[in-house]
Amino acid sequence: MAAGATTKAAAVQTGTVYAILFAISSVHMLNDTMQAIVTAMFPVVRTSLDLSLGQIGWVAFALNMTSSVMQPVVGFLSDKRPAPWMLPFGMALSLIGVAGLAYSPGFWALMLAVVFVGLGSAIFHPEGSRVVYFAAGGRRGLAQSIYQVGGNAGSSLAPLMTIFIFVPLGQSGAIWGTLLAAAAIIILIRVVPWYRSQLVTHGKPVKRAAKAPESGDAKQVRQNVGVALFLLILLVFARSWYTTGISTYYQIYLEDFRDFSLRAAQVPIFLFMAAGVLGTFLGGILADRFGRKRMILISIGGAAPFALLLPYLPSFLIYPVIFLLGVILLSGFSVSVVYAQELLPGKVGMASGLITGLAFGMGAIGAVIIGEAGDIWGLDRVLTWSSFLPLLGLLAFALPPDRRE
């Protein structure tokens, strides 16, 4: 706790370093754009590689589980021994994966390429979150929002890539993604020296003293933190499961059940993801003012009415409603990370990995279940069932108040 407090105080004293924040946010955008290539390819490879809905779910599962489950592991290790060189190394793995996506001849080769993309992302995110932590100064919510806006912006490009790259060029269009990885490596080469200097100044791990006997109050605090983390992961899981269903399958639903063309089906997905960029930015600013817990409650629970309405709307109302849904649902994205970091002071990488990693990995299970269930019961029915997931946001009432409440 003392080491965590010292690091936090030092980070606040440096002030907010916007140049580094925007640089690491741009790399986050490039990283998540490479991940979005996988989703953007689904309408094309569904035909070219003759994939079932279940197989598409397994590809999404491989991407999210690789990029997610490894994040807490990388975060735990990097909290003990931060390694700035891991940032460009992760991008190099993603470069290999994206090149593999372009030329995968079948399902299993596609899965292998996706694993490389996922590993690169898993390595980048915890280290990127630590860079943000040092650059944030006293504006934690704003800094995390700037970082997450980059990632959400990259994810939102998936429908546009489908329209402008994969429809005209087919699967081989993924090769252009290698340029994204190269650009990210170039930017990180400039960020790494600054990050290393921060570690030298006040970020190196401190050798722990002998563990003192734990008092009753300390045990109660530890138990409360554990309950809060469990609830937070459950909330992020519900949001991730629902978001995965929309980003992976809603375009297919619009084609198969609403008579949208392949291109037209990408527009609602783009609106949802682009709205998430706006929501992420606004959520961080509002959380700094009104509190993390309130924003988490509003973001997931407040999205529930729109999610429940979406399956029954006429086509022309889909566009405004899915935009509002994206703004509200993803306004708590960066807030959840900051809330977890405050629950686990001194463990920035692990906290970030738990929320952006493990919880999203749990959400990846939803991609498989939705796909397999869609093959059995029909995608329209399964997506309607999944629209009840945001109601779990009401569990946020049980979270302990944060320091701003």
Side-chain angles (χ1 to χ4, degrees):
M1 288 289 289
T6 302
T7 301
K8 180 177 179 180
V12 170
Q13 290 169 7
T14 61
T16 306
V17 187
Y18 287 101
I20 295 297
L21 283 177
F22 287 119
I24 201 67
S25 178
S26 67
V27 176
H28 197 187
M29 181 187 70
L30 294 168
N31 176 82
D32 283 26
T33 302
M34 285 185 281
Q35 286 190 264
I37 288 174
V38 179
T39 305
M41 291 174 63
F42 284 158
V44 175
V45 296
R46 182 190 181 197
T47 301
S48 64
L49 300 182
D50 192 26
L51 301 183
S52 67
L53 289 176
Q55 286 177 313
I56 288 175
W58 280 110
V59 173
F61 176 83
L63 175 66
N64 290 328
M65 285 297 287
T66 308
S67 65
S68 301
V69 172
M70 289 300 296
Q71 278 193 45
V73 177
V74 174
F76 175 77
L77 295 175
S78 63
D79 281 335
K80 295 180 175 295
R81 192 181 296 274
W85 60 267
M86 290 175 68
L87 287 166
F89 175 72
M91 289 301 106
L93 290 180
S94 293
L95 189 152
I96 295 170
V98 169
L101 293 176
Y103 302 109
S104 297
F107 172 69
W108 290 109
L110 186 67
M111 290 279 279
L112 180 62
V114 161
V115 166
F116 271 91
V117 175
L119 283 174
S121 182
I123 292 171
F124 165 74
H125 276 98
E127 288 294 324
S129 291
R130 186 174 286 101
V131 172
V132 173
Y133 186 85
F134 284 133
R139 309 196 67 183
R140 300 281 307 286
L142 174 63
Q144 192 66 36
S145 288
I146 291 173
Y147 176 61
Q148 297 294 354
V149 159
N152 286 3
S155 299
S156 72
L157 296 177
L160 299 183
M161 288 190 287
T162 300
I163 295 171
F164 297 111
I165 297 177
F166 294 112
V167 170
L169 298 180
Q171 182 181 340
S172 62
I175 196 64
W176 290 100
T178 58
L179 297 179
L180 302 175
I185 290 171
I186 291 170
I187 296 171
L188 288 172
I189 287 173
R190 302 297 300 271
V191 171
V192 163
W194 180 89
Y195 177 26
R196 186 179 291 115
S197 72
Q198 297 301 302
L199 292 172
V200 169
T201 303
H202 51 66
K204 285 193 173 183
V206 178
K207 194 170 184 180
R208 292 179 180 268
K211 189 174 181 180
E214 193 173 39
S215 67
D217 288 343
K219 288 181 180 178
Q220 185 62 48
V221 168
R222 184 162 53 83
Q223 290 174 358
N224 291 341
V225 168
V227 171
L229 275 176
F230 173 77
L231 288 173
L232 188 62
I233 290 173
L234 184 61
L235 290 168
V236 176
F237 159 67
R239 182 178 62 214
S240 301
W241 190 324
Y242 181 74
T243 302
T244 298
I246 293 292
S247 61
T248 304
Y249 296 107
Y250 194 63
Q251 56 192 317
I252 297 173
Y253 161 79
L254 290 175
E255 285 184 72
D256 292 353
F257 296 95
R258 291 296 191 96
D259 295 324
F260 279 57
S261 68
L262 192 153
R263 290 176 183 267
Q266 309 308 310
V267 176
I269 307 302
F270 174 72
L271 288 174
F272 177 75
M273 302 303 290
V277 177
L278 176 62
T280 297
F281 182 71
L282 293 177
I285 295 174
L286 293 173
D288 278 343
R289 183 170 182 180
F290 299 111
R292 327 288 189 211
K293 175 182 173 178
R294 290 191 183 99
M295 281 310 303
I296 293 170
L297 174 61
I298 291 169
S299 69
I300 307 179
F306 298 97
L308 292 168
L309 279 174
L310 190 62
Y312 305 102
L313 294 174
S315 296
F316 73 95
L317 283 179
I318 288 175
Y319 304 103
V321 170
I322 204 168
F323 183 84
L324 289 172
L325 176 60
V327 171
I328 298 170
L329 185 65
L330 295 177
S331 64
F333 187 88
S334 61
V335 181
S336 302
V337 177
V338 175
Y339 187 90
Q341 289 173 350
E342 291 177 351
L343 286 174
L344 298 171
K347 298 180 180 179
V348 179
M350 186 175 178
S352 303
L354 278 171
I355 300 307
T356 63
L358 181 59
F360 279 98
M362 293 165 64
I365 298 172
V368 175
I369 293 175
I370 291 173
E372 295 287 357
D375 282 332
I376 298 171
W377 290 296
L379 187 59
D380 57 336
R381 184 178 299 176
V382 174
L383 287 181
T384 299
W385 294 341
S386 70
S387 65
F388 286 88
L389 283 168
L391 285 173
L392 289 175
L394 298 177
L395 290 174
F397 278 114
L399 288 172
D402 58 78
R403 60 184 174 84
R404 292 185 179 270
E405 295 185 317

